[in-house]
Amino acid sequence: MTEPAVSDGREYWESIAASWLGWTQMPGVDPYGEAFNLPELLTLVPPPESLTLDIGCGEGRVGRLLTAQGHAVVGLDGSPTLTGEARGQGAAVAVADGARLPIGAAVADLVVSSMVLMDVPDLADHLAEIARVLRPAGTLVMSVSHPISNAGFALGDEHLTYALGDYYIEERTDVPATRDGRSMPFRYWPRTLSTYLTALGNAGLAVVEAREPRPSAAFVDALPQARQWTRVPMFLHLRAVKR
């Protein structure tokens, strides 16, 4: 696959939307997301109120889980192809740039951003928009790849070893993945923990809970290669409140 000559996160995801849909439709392609990351993230979500926004909704799987829990969900994503897929499955969605949301101020009780904010080049703008659309004391629940896993550490039998990257370098990273003959060119912007926390604070969002979920013994028994993530966190989950 030829890499699209764009750097903007929204345009990039539209350019690979068909690949992503094919990837997500493969049985068992994302056990970490389906059986580990998403269930853990949903335990941070407060009870439903009047409006929940799923920002960076993609094809709508997080929104469907929230709807099943009783939330009134509107999904927003920059990719027309992915929002079209979500709409075709009954979701209320709109095409939108996460840094310029077509929504009034202070309208949402809850914003959920699942594995999105490491995929955008303009983190501050996205967080400012999230803060703008949240009501006072509204909640943001977010997940990203854990900053330490982004740095490219690998586990030996007895100790952590430095493998690929530099934790402090925050540059666009392209990681091709292949499964059963299908390719998926992931692109993200790794960030340090302090970058995320500072950006949230600057946007007026106060972190009230942070989690670094650890796979259960049952999950590791089912997926032995997940054992390394019992020693180093794979995901970072944050719950923040608008000040």
Side-chain angles (χ1 to χ4, degrees):
M1 176 181 296
T2 301
E3 179 180 311
V6 295
S7 60
D8 178 78
R10 176 184 175 186
E11 293 181 10
Y12 182 71
W13 272 95
E14 174 60 15
S15 72
I16 62 169
S19 295
W20 174 251
L21 291 175
W23 184 266
T24 59
Q25 290 162 4
M26 296 173 63
V29 72
D30 186 17
Y32 291 103
E34 298 290 346
F36 172 38
N37 187 32
L38 273 177
E40 291 285 341
L41 182 68
L42 291 175
T43 66
L44 278 178
V45 172
E49 295 187 53
S50 61
L51 177 62
T52 294
L53 298 179
D54 178 12
I55 296 182
C57 68
E59 79 288 357
R61 60 175 165 170
V62 176
R64 289 191 291 274
L65 293 172
L66 291 167
T67 298
Q69 292 187 350
H71 291 261
V73 181
V74 174
L76 300 137
D77 197 277
S79 166
T81 299
L82 295 181
T83 52
E85 176 71 15
R87 187 177 297 109
Q89 298 187 37
V93 294
V95 178
D97 184 341
R100 291 177 290 276
L101 295 172
I103 296 176
V107 296
D109 307 291
L110 171 66
V111 167
V112 176
S113 176
S114 174
M115 302 302 287
V116 172
L117 292 172
M118 75 280 190
D119 289 344
V120 300
D122 45 354
L123 176 65
D125 291 341
H126 279 71
L127 289 175
E129 278 294 89
I130 288 171
R132 184 184 67 81
V133 300
L134 277 173
R135 292 174 177 164
T139 299
L140 164 67
V141 172
M142 59 173 279
S143 62
V144 291
S145 297
H146 198 287
I148 198 169
S149 69
N150 286 338
F153 289 95
L155 289 168
D157 291 337
E158 298 182 1
H159 61 279
L160 192 67
T161 57
Y162 181 75
L164 297 175
D166 186 325
Y167 175 77
Y168 294 101
I169 294 177
E170 300 185 350
E171 296 177 347
R172 193 192 83 193
T173 301
D174 295 281
V175 181
T178 302
R179 182 184 174 95
D180 296 338
R182 287 185 181 269
S183 61
M184 180 63 204
F186 291 98
R187 171 174 291 181
Y188 66 99
W189 281 259
R191 295 181 170 102
T192 65
L193 178 60
S194 58
T195 294
Y196 281 117
L197 296 180
T198 299
L200 285 160
N202 288 343
L205 298 164
V207 174
V208 295
E209 189 167 0
R211 295 183 185 175
E212 299 162 303
R214 197 176 190 186
S216 67
F219 185 83
V220 173
D221 286 343
L223 192 72
Q225 59 266 41
R227 188 172 304 279
Q228 64 175 332
W229 303 113
T230 66
R231 298 171 61 192
V232 173
M234 187 178 194
F235 301 109
L236 174 65
H237 295 174
L238 299 173
R239 181 166 61 92
V241 173
K242 182 177 176 178
R243 294 195 291 258

